[in-house]
Amino acid sequence: MITDVTELKVYADRLQEREEKYRNLFNNSGVGMFRTRLDGSEILDVNQKCLDIFGRSREEVIGKPSVKLWVDPQEREDMVKMLLSADHVSELEIKVLHTKNGVRNCVISIVFYREQGFFEGTLIDITDRKRAEETLRSSEQKLSAIFRTSPDSININRLDNATFVEVNEGFTNMLGYTREDVIGKPSVETGVWDDPEDRSRLARQIREKGFVKNLEACLRRKDGSLITVIVSSRLIELDGSLCTLNIARDITERKNLEDELRKSKRESEAANNAKSRFLANMSHEIRTPMNGVIGMIELLQHSNLTPEQYQYAEEAKQSGLELVNLLNGILDLSKIEADKMELELADFNLKSVVVDAFKLLSLTANEKALKLEHTIDVDVPMSLTGDAGRLRQIITNIVANALKFTSKGSVTLFIKKEFETELSVTLRFVIKDTGIGISAHSLEHIFDSFTQANISITRTHGGSGLGLAICKKLVELMKGSIGVDSTLGQGSAFWFTSVFDKQIKADADKIKTPASVAQLALHLPDTTQDKRFRILLAEDDPNTQKILPKLLKHYGYQVDVSCNGKEALLALQNNDYDLVLMDCMMPEMSGYEVTTIVRDQTSSVLRHDIPIIALTGNAMKHDIELCTASGMNDHLSKPLILGDLLTKLDNWLTR
Ligand code: ADP
């Protein structure tokens, strides 16, 4: 029997072709595909994508029960129930197990072939998509929480017509408007801008740069009150249209506070300056009459007094000197506080400064039978440039304190080199005493103004509590620091450092060592007989005119007085004087002018090279520069202290 199989063959070929197509599709599909038995006892077929979803090989899956691939068997049972009643399920969310990655979220769609008794379906892993959606949802939630709860005002405005799209509670709280008041309205119409120019500025900057940072603006609240805010804005795209996201912070209180602070800072600076000026003026004004008081007492001491009277006068003089000391302290401190203190830089010899300071201090040391010594390390350079007067003041103050608070033992000054460069040297001064010491508590405040460690002791010792405060400030001016180590009952060691310039060429001749008290005593008779030197005093203050000549007469000087500059010039043309004491500020002609004429070789004074010592009221650096510039040789500041005056006279007359 011959059968025509041609048609059959064609049919079979087509079938095979279709089967192949299906296979291809099945194998290469990006969606997981499977076939299982109804009871889940056996998985009949899976494609590669499905295997990927489970992380398993074909051998591990084919012929095995499908149940173990589910995370929750109940989920499968529910699905089977649905299939039995409806023949298919679509896009059901289930959880399956991946061997390595654990639980995966999938979407399953199944058709139930009732007659054949199996399921066929697709499986899509949506874990990553779900995760991304969740992240997005939670970040949206966070953002909207920030938007809702931010205390700052946040609003979104359309760029084209500036209408409010959204505002937060911060906005409604800050400006007193409700959402309904403003949404959909242009911001200028609502009246929130006090100055519409502020809005234009904001819009301009946004257009130019795309953002605005901390723009200060004035906004009007619904109740009409004004607030100051800083606004930051950024361009954003919302539902396809360009908008500005604006964040504003109310800084009204901060601004008011800043204004207050600035105002009170200005006021307190002004008050402080006024205080410093007042203190400086007052102490200067009080010093002038004190000059008269001390001078008169010294004069009185040179008259015929009983020892008892002399002692009374001496105590009055000491009180006067203490007062002058205190005034000097206040003057110094107020000058420093008003930043008016300038260092007077000049060449000096370190050893001379120490010897000089110790001259007076040794009197106290002798009285109290204390050993007063100094030790300067050999590597300390002696020829320095700096403010010798201020250095002497610091040393004198600290050593005087040490002597004051020590009743037996010694006070020693050590000077060491701490650091040296080619041009400068840092020195460390240590003043050790064997006195009462200072408690740890008092040490904390010892360098503050008006502080005294032990009030009861100070009462018997005197003092103002200004000394160390001034020392600290002076030391700081000299680029150094100051401190103290002390043990109560065992003594103290005060130290300070200072930076000095080294003299380029140390010229020994330039260093003037003032005559010592002992030297003075040698050639200065304390009676009136010897009038070796003739001095001209050019001075308009009647007090000084009265006291100085009488006082100096006791030390062997003859003093003539001129009341103003012109008289002084006349006197210098007619008499041969040895020295002039020249007040700087005088009527008719100032001391500077007189000096300039004297130094002029063509003028008709008898001696062009006569030593001229300036008497200055307030020895500021500037005044001294004027003295030097006009040709004066030296200066003394008022109130005149007899010891200083005698030293200077001796210095200039016995050269
Ligand atoms: P004052 O003019 O009162 O001496 P100071 O500022 O110089 O002011 O000193 C402040 C206080 O520090 C002193 O009153 C004293 O209590 C304490 N003090 C200073 N030096 C010493 C020292 N060497 N030994 C003990 N106490 C000292």
Side-chain angles (χ1 to χ4, degrees), residues 602-626:
T602 60
S603 69
S604 51
V605 299
L606 295 184
R607 260 188 80 186
H608 295 294
D609 66 339
I610 187 166
I612 302 180
I613 300 179
L615 306 180
T616 57
N618 202 354
M620 301 282 274
K621 192 179 168 199
H622 172 71
D623 302 303
I624 296 162
E625 277 167 5
L626 276 180

mmCIF file of all heavy atoms in Angstrom, residues 602-626:
data_model
loop_
_atom_site.group_PDB
_atom_site.id
_atom_site.type_symbol
_atom_site.label_atom_id
_atom_site.label_comp_id
_atom_site.label_asym_id
_atom_site.label_seq_id
_atom_site.Cartn_x
_atom_site.Cartn_y
_atom_site.Cartn_z
ATOM 1 N N THR A 602 74.590 131.048 65.111
ATOM 2 C CA THR A 602 74.570 132.483 64.804
ATOM 3 C C THR A 602 73.809 133.283 65.854
ATOM 4 O O THR A 602 73.794 134.511 65.813
ATOM 5 C CB THR A 602 73.907 132.722 63.432
ATOM 6 O OG1 THR A 602 72.567 132.213 63.499
ATOM 7 C CG2 THR A 602 74.657 132.015 62.317
ATOM 8 N N SER A 603 73.152 132.579 66.788
ATOM 9 C CA SER A 603 72.396 133.335 67.799
ATOM 10 C C SER A 603 73.367 133.932 68.823
ATOM 11 O O SER A 603 74.537 133.526 68.909
ATOM 12 C CB SER A 603 71.375 132.436 68.477
ATOM 13 O OG SER A 603 72.057 131.488 69.283
ATOM 14 N N SER A 604 72.852 134.881 69.622
ATOM 15 C CA SER A 604 73.786 135.618 70.471
ATOM 16 C C SER A 604 73.860 135.095 71.905
ATOM 17 O O SER A 604 74.219 135.826 72.816
ATOM 18 C CB SER A 604 73.394 137.103 70.467
ATOM 19 O OG SER A 604 72.015 137.217 70.769
ATOM 20 N N VAL A 605 73.484 133.833 72.124
ATOM 21 C CA VAL A 605 73.656 133.295 73.486
ATOM 22 C C VAL A 605 75.137 133.041 73.732
ATOM 23 O O VAL A 605 75.914 132.886 72.784
ATOM 24 C CB VAL A 605 72.865 131.980 73.694
ATOM 25 C CG1 VAL A 605 71.368 132.208 73.513
ATOM 26 C CG2 VAL A 605 73.364 130.894 72.770
ATOM 27 N N LEU A 606 75.523 132.985 75.011
ATOM 28 C CA LEU A 606 76.953 132.868 75.312
ATOM 29 C C LEU A 606 77.491 131.461 75.049
ATOM 30 O O LEU A 606 78.615 131.292 74.611
ATOM 31 C CB LEU A 606 77.202 133.262 76.767
ATOM 32 C CG LEU A 606 76.896 134.734 77.088
ATOM 33 C CD1 LEU A 606 77.264 135.060 78.525
ATOM 34 C CD2 LEU A 606 77.664 135.674 76.149
ATOM 35 N N ARG A 607 76.651 130.417 75.358
ATOM 36 C CA ARG A 607 77.151 129.045 75.152
ATOM 37 C C ARG A 607 76.168 128.253 74.300
ATOM 38 O O ARG A 607 75.076 127.932 74.742
ATOM 39 C CB ARG A 607 77.272 128.334 76.504
ATOM 40 C CG ARG A 607 78.658 128.291 77.081
ATOM 41 C CD ARG A 607 78.661 127.400 78.302
ATOM 42 N NE ARG A 607 78.729 125.987 77.965
ATOM 43 C CZ ARG A 607 78.623 125.011 78.874
ATOM 44 N NH1 ARG A 607 78.418 125.324 80.144
ATOM 45 N NH2 ARG A 607 78.714 123.761 78.518
ATOM 46 N N HIS A 608 76.564 127.899 73.081
ATOM 47 C CA HIS A 608 75.652 127.133 72.222
ATOM 48 C C HIS A 608 75.561 125.680 72.657
ATOM 49 O O HIS A 608 74.595 125.001 72.358
ATOM 50 C CB HIS A 608 76.120 127.206 70.764
ATOM 51 C CG HIS A 608 76.052 128.598 70.206
ATOM 52 N ND1 HIS A 608 74.860 129.258 70.024
ATOM 53 C CD2 HIS A 608 77.031 129.465 69.826
ATOM 54 C CE1 HIS A 608 75.109 130.477 69.544
ATOM 55 N NE2 HIS A 608 76.424 130.616 69.418
ATOM 56 N N ASP A 609 76.614 125.192 73.360
ATOM 57 C CA ASP A 609 76.626 123.757 73.703
ATOM 58 C C ASP A 609 76.190 123.498 75.146
ATOM 59 O O ASP A 609 76.429 122.444 75.709
ATOM 60 C CB ASP A 609 78.033 123.192 73.505
ATOM 61 C CG ASP A 609 79.017 123.810 74.494
ATOM 62 O OD1 ASP A 609 78.699 124.915 75.024
ATOM 63 O OD2 ASP A 609 80.064 123.188 74.753
ATOM 64 N N ILE A 610 75.540 124.493 75.754
ATOM 65 C CA ILE A 610 75.160 124.325 77.155
ATOM 66 C C ILE A 610 74.203 123.127 77.312
ATOM 67 O O ILE A 610 73.306 122.945 76.489
ATOM 68 C CB ILE A 610 74.516 125.640 77.670
ATOM 69 C CG1 ILE A 610 74.254 125.557 79.170
ATOM 70 C CG2 ILE A 610 73.212 125.946 76.942
ATOM 71 C CD1 ILE A 610 73.940 126.911 79.802
ATOM 72 N N PRO A 611 74.429 122.254 78.328
ATOM 73 C CA PRO A 611 73.501 121.126 78.520
ATOM 74 C C PRO A 611 72.093 121.635 78.871
ATOM 75 O O PRO A 611 71.958 122.512 79.722
ATOM 76 C CB PRO A 611 74.085 120.355 79.699
ATOM 77 C CG PRO A 611 75.488 120.834 79.836
ATOM 78 C CD PRO A 611 75.533 122.231 79.298
ATOM 79 N N ILE A 612 71.109 121.135 78.166
ATOM 80 C CA ILE A 612 69.718 121.525 78.433
ATOM 81 C C ILE A 612 68.914 120.273 78.787
ATOM 82 O O ILE A 612 68.877 119.305 78.015
ATOM 83 C CB ILE A 612 69.070 122.219 77.214
ATOM 84 C CG1 ILE A 612 69.887 123.451 76.821
ATOM 85 C CG2 ILE A 612 67.616 122.590 77.505
ATOM 86 C CD1 ILE A 612 69.345 124.221 75.626
ATOM 87 N N ILE A 613 68.343 120.302 79.990
ATOM 88 C CA ILE A 613 67.510 119.166 80.410
ATOM 89 C C ILE A 613 66.048 119.596 80.364
ATOM 90 O O ILE A 613 65.661 120.584 80.985
ATOM 91 C CB ILE A 613 67.877 118.702 81.832
ATOM 92 C CG1 ILE A 613 69.350 118.259 81.878
ATOM 93 C CG2 ILE A 613 66.972 117.555 82.274
ATOM 94 C CD1 ILE A 613 69.810 117.812 83.250
ATOM 95 N N ALA A 614 65.250 118.861 79.610
ATOM 96 C CA ALA A 614 63.833 119.211 79.481
ATOM 97 C C ALA A 614 63.062 118.769 80.719
ATOM 98 O O ALA A 614 63.359 117.725 81.302
ATOM 99 C CB ALA A 614 63.253 118.511 78.255
ATOM 100 N N LEU A 615 62.100 119.609 81.120
ATOM 101 C CA LEU A 615 61.177 119.197 82.180
ATOM 102 C C LEU A 615 59.839 118.960 81.487
ATOM 103 O O LEU A 615 59.213 119.901 81.005
ATOM 104 C CB LEU A 615 61.027 120.298 83.236
ATOM 105 C CG LEU A 615 62.329 120.816 83.847
ATOM 106 C CD1 LEU A 615 62.022 121.899 84.888
ATOM 107 C CD2 LEU A 615 63.103 119.674 84.516
ATOM 108 N N THR A 616 59.435 117.677 81.373
ATOM 109 C CA THR A 616 58.197 117.398 80.622
ATOM 110 C C THR A 616 57.096 116.964 81.578
ATOM 111 O O THR A 616 57.356 116.311 82.591
ATOM 112 C CB THR A 616 58.403 116.278 79.585
ATOM 113 O OG1 THR A 616 58.862 115.136 80.282
ATOM 114 C CG2 THR A 616 59.396 116.674 78.533
ATOM 115 N N GLY A 617 55.881 117.376 81.226
ATOM 116 C CA GLY A 617 54.736 117.035 82.068
ATOM 117 C C GLY A 617 54.376 115.574 81.906
ATOM 118 O O GLY A 617 54.207 114.845 82.863
ATOM 119 N N ASN A 618 54.317 115.136 80.672
ATOM 120 C CA ASN A 618 53.861 113.781 80.405
ATOM 121 C C ASN A 618 54.853 113.154 79.445
ATOM 122 O O ASN A 618 54.810 113.396 78.261
ATOM 123 C CB ASN A 618 52.480 113.870 79.761
ATOM 124 C CG ASN A 618 51.733 112.581 79.941
ATOM 125 O OD1 ASN A 618 52.292 111.606 80.437
ATOM 126 N ND2 ASN A 618 50.481 112.572 79.528
ATOM 127 N N ALA A 619 55.754 112.371 80.010
ATOM 128 C CA ALA A 619 56.883 111.929 79.189
ATOM 129 C C ALA A 619 56.480 110.822 78.225
ATOM 130 O O ALA A 619 56.846 109.677 78.390
ATOM 131 C CB ALA A 619 58.024 111.468 80.076
ATOM 132 N N MET A 620 55.719 111.197 77.217
ATOM 133 C CA MET A 620 55.379 110.228 76.184
ATOM 134 C C MET A 620 56.521 110.217 75.171
ATOM 135 O O MET A 620 57.270 111.194 75.073
ATOM 136 C CB MET A 620 54.087 110.618 75.463
ATOM 137 C CG MET A 620 52.896 110.727 76.359
ATOM 138 S SD MET A 620 52.203 109.131 76.781
ATOM 139 C CE MET A 620 51.121 108.906 75.383
ATOM 140 N N LYS A 621 56.580 109.135 74.425
ATOM 141 C CA LYS A 621 57.653 108.965 73.454
ATOM 142 C C LYS A 621 57.727 110.175 72.511
ATOM 143 O O LYS A 621 58.804 110.677 72.202
ATOM 144 C CB LYS A 621 57.351 107.703 72.644
ATOM 145 C CG LYS A 621 58.480 107.230 71.806
ATOM 146 C CD LYS A 621 58.057 105.970 71.095
ATOM 147 C CE LYS A 621 59.060 105.640 70.014
ATOM 148 N NZ LYS A 621 58.525 104.741 69.033
ATOM 149 N N HIS A 622 56.522 110.630 72.148
ATOM 150 C CA HIS A 622 56.426 111.735 71.207
ATOM 151 C C HIS A 622 57.081 113.006 71.777
ATOM 152 O O HIS A 622 57.843 113.701 71.092
ATOM 153 C CB HIS A 622 54.946 111.982 70.911
ATOM 154 C CG HIS A 622 54.679 113.206 70.110
ATOM 155 N ND1 HIS A 622 55.004 113.283 68.784
ATOM 156 C CD2 HIS A 622 54.138 114.401 70.464
ATOM 157 C CE1 HIS A 622 54.659 114.471 68.336
ATOM 158 N NE2 HIS A 622 54.131 115.170 69.341
ATOM 159 N N ASP A 623 56.800 113.291 73.086
ATOM 160 C CA ASP A 623 57.374 114.494 73.727
ATOM 161 C C ASP A 623 58.898 114.412 73.743
ATOM 162 O O ASP A 623 59.595 115.383 73.486
ATOM 163 C CB ASP A 623 56.885 114.611 75.174
ATOM 164 C CG ASP A 623 55.366 114.676 75.238
ATOM 165 O OD1 ASP A 623 54.798 115.576 74.611
ATOM 166 O OD2 ASP A 623 54.768 113.806 75.887
ATOM 167 N N ILE A 624 59.371 113.209 74.075
ATOM 168 C CA ILE A 624 60.830 113.060 74.185
ATOM 169 C C ILE A 624 61.480 113.226 72.821
ATOM 170 O O ILE A 624 62.540 113.834 72.690
ATOM 171 C CB ILE A 624 61.171 111.704 74.822
ATOM 172 C CG1 ILE A 624 60.623 111.711 76.243
ATOM 173 C CG2 ILE A 624 62.661 111.447 74.828
ATOM 174 C CD1 ILE A 624 60.489 110.372 76.872
ATOM 175 N N GLU A 625 60.798 112.740 71.791
ATOM 176 C CA GLU A 625 61.337 112.909 70.438
ATOM 177 C C GLU A 625 61.434 114.391 70.086
ATOM 178 O O GLU A 625 62.424 114.832 69.489
ATOM 179 C CB GLU A 625 60.434 112.190 69.423
ATOM 180 C CG GLU A 625 60.756 110.709 69.321
ATOM 181 C CD GLU A 625 59.691 109.929 68.567
ATOM 182 O OE1 GLU A 625 58.742 110.562 68.045
ATOM 183 O OE2 GLU A 625 59.822 108.703 68.526
ATOM 184 N N LEU A 626 60.400 115.152 70.504
ATOM 185 C CA LEU A 626 60.421 116.597 70.244
ATOM 186 C C LEU A 626 61.620 117.244 70.933
ATOM 187 O O LEU A 626 62.314 118.095 70.366
ATOM 188 C CB LEU A 626 59.134 117.247 70.767
ATOM 189 C CG LEU A 626 57.929 117.191 69.834
ATOM 190 C CD1 LEU A 626 56.738 117.878 70.470
ATOM 191 C CD2 LEU A 626 58.268 117.866 68.508
#
